[in-house]
Amino acid sequence: MVSLPNENVPNFERRTVYCPDGKKVLGGGAEARGNTAILVGSFPTDDGTGWIGLGRQTDTDNVGISVFAICADV
């Protein structure tokens, strides 16, 4: 498993964590943090080598996002 720790980013900005070279993502997830945080998306990259998370907050222009991916040889 690989992860990106929580970091504040502008609303709707994607955060992407990538698998080590030669591995593909089997699954993953993301978390939006903040008083009015909403997770907008949590999905694999188009090439299957990582996971993307994005979110927003309704009362501010940034949101805390953490992302993780489960990677394996496939």
Side-chain angles (χ1 to χ4, degrees), residues 28-65:
E31 178 183 20
R33 294 183 185 179
N35 291 337
T36 61
I38 300 166
L39 185 64
V40 175
S42 176
F43 48 90
T45 59
D46 287 341
D47 64 1
T49 62
W51 201 267
I52 299 167
L54 65 144
R56 71 179 179 94
Q57 286 203 73
T58 59
D59 64 354
T60 186
D61 61 357
N62 64 62
V63 61
I65 297 289

Side-chain angles (χ1 to χ4, degrees), residues 1-71:
M1 188 170 84
V2 293
S3 62
L4 290 176
N6 183 60
E7 182 177 314
N8 283 345
V9 296
N11 284 337
F12 299 105
E13 182 175 304
R14 292 179 176 198
R15 293 201 71 212
T16 306
V17 63
Y18 291 97
C19 293
D21 287 343
K23 297 193 182 288
K24 295 285 185 176
V25 69
L26 297 180
E31 178 183 20
R33 294 183 185 179
N35 291 337
T36 61
I38 300 166
L39 185 64
V40 175
S42 176
F43 48 90
T45 59
D46 287 341
D47 64 1
T49 62
W51 201 267
I52 299 167
L54 65 144
R56 71 179 179 94
Q57 286 203 73
T58 59
D59 64 354
T60 186
D61 61 357
N62 64 62
V63 61
I65 297 289
S66 55
V67 186
F68 69 91
I70 302 165
C71 305

